[in-house]
Amino acid sequence: GENVEQHPSTLSVQEGDSAVIKCTYSDSASNYFPWYKQELGKGPQLIIDIRSNVGEKKDQRIAVTLNKTAKHFSLHITETQPEDSAVYFCAASPRYSGYALNFGKGTSLLVTP
Amino acid sequence: EAQVTQNPRYLITVTGKKLTVTCSQNMNHEYMSWYRQDPGLGLRQIYYSMNVEATDKGDVPEGYKVSRKEKRNFPLILESPSPNQTSLYFCASSLEGSFLMGQFFGPGTRLTVL
């Protein structure tokens, strides 16, 4: 099945700096790649997603890039703020089912003032 | 308010005692899913449902059952819980049988099986 690897597992940045989280996937036919943010005590929340026919997508301070050849995608957060501190999950939709979603193991991001 | 609700939020039980965790959504979503979250393992899909009376196994279905008799409800059933099912459980839903519009997650149910 689809295998999604996420790095780093923890990331600490200073407020105002950028943060980058990277994920790789195994199935070259995967076509949908969402990113979720999970705050303490809450369920994950979709923050941005990208489809395989697009190389980059941006939403204010958040951007996602996709390299289909290398089978990796990345989340970029610029001008980080303390409220960006959370656990971030990447995910990929595998070819064999359009309705199953395989998640990475998460990155705990800490933004220090 | 559009939301996914889960009950109970916290549950402590003993091995072998059947339990049900309810999930309900008020967004008229076709697709619903259950995940479990364990430290260091991320989110793993247990079961999902494309629509009423249509369910399918995810990555870790063993020891769980689901049913989808109504569009809004998707209960998770543990017939004979075991300690390795101690976990944080999330229900999620999305529109049109596809999560391309984004999945909405419930607040989670923390289950402890002694």
Side-chain angles (χ1 to χ4, degrees):
Chain A
E2 173 71 278
N3 184 36
V4 179
E5 305 244 346
Q6 183 172 347
H7 299 280
S9 57
T10 60
L11 179 59
S12 182
V13 300
Q14 284 207 312
E15 183 177 359
D17 288 348
S18 294
V20 180
I21 303 170
K22 298 180 179 179
C23 287
T24 61
Y25 59 98
S26 59
D27 189 338
S28 57
S30 289
N31 55 22
Y32 176 66
F33 308 92
W35 285 90
Y36 284 81
K37 176 183 180 183
Q38 186 177 24
E39 297 175 333
L40 199 61
K42 296 185 179 180
Q45 182 180 13
L46 180 72
I47 55 172
I48 196 167
D49 57 11
I50 192 168
R51 301 191 194 193
S52 59
N53 58 351
V54 175
E56 183 175 358
K57 185 176 178 180
K58 191 173 181 180
D59 183 5
Q60 299 184 331
R61 295 185 298 108
I62 294 174
V64 57
T65 58
L66 171 65
N67 184 326
K68 287 176 60 180
T69 303
K71 289 189 284 185
H72 69 70
F73 56 111
S74 300
L75 177 71
H76 304 255
I77 306 174
T78 58
E79 300 172 25
T80 54
Q81 302 166 2
E83 50 266 39
D84 293 330
S85 296
V87 179
Y88 291 82
F89 292 96
C90 64
S93 168
R95 175 186 52 185
Y96 59 80
S97 170
Y99 305 101
L101 202 56
N102 293 115
F103 284 81
K105 294 181 179 177
T107 296
S108 179
L109 173 64
L110 177 64
V111 180
T112 54
Chain B
E1 179 190 353
Q3 59 183 351
V4 177
T5 56
Q6 296 177 225
N7 281 293
R9 294 289 314 279
Y10 303 90
L11 179 60
I12 300 174
T13 189
V14 295
T15 299
K17 186 176 181 181
K18 180 179 179 179
L19 67 93
T20 299
V21 183
T22 65
C23 173
S24 182
Q25 49 92 6
N26 62 0
M27 295 167 280
N28 203 36
H29 285 171
E30 289 85 358
Y31 179 91
M32 297 185 74
S33 180
W34 276 103
Y35 296 88
R36 60 178 289 175
Q37 184 175 32
D38 302 290
L41 296 178
L43 288 153
R44 293 179 293 168
Q45 192 171 39
I46 303 171
Y47 269 96
Y48 61 94
S49 169
M50 296 291 295
N51 214 324
V52 175
E53 302 293 358
T55 62
D56 211 343
K57 295 178 181 178
D59 289 329
V60 289
E62 294 78 21
Y64 304 94
K65 285 176 59 177
V66 292
S67 68
R68 187 89 182 276
K69 294 183 169 52
E70 305 167 278
K71 198 172 187 179
R72 62 182 293 128
N73 296 323
F74 190 44
L76 179 70
I77 303 157
L78 284 72
E79 295 270 4
S80 183
S82 62
N84 63 13
Q85 292 178 297
T86 293
S87 187
L88 179 58
Y89 291 87
F90 288 102
C91 179
S93 72
S94 63
L95 191 62
E96 297 176 350
S98 162
F99 39 68
L100 292 179
M101 298 294 290
Q103 285 194 93
F104 289 83
F105 280 78
T109 295
R110 186 165 293 282
L111 172 66
T112 301
V113 183
L114 302 174

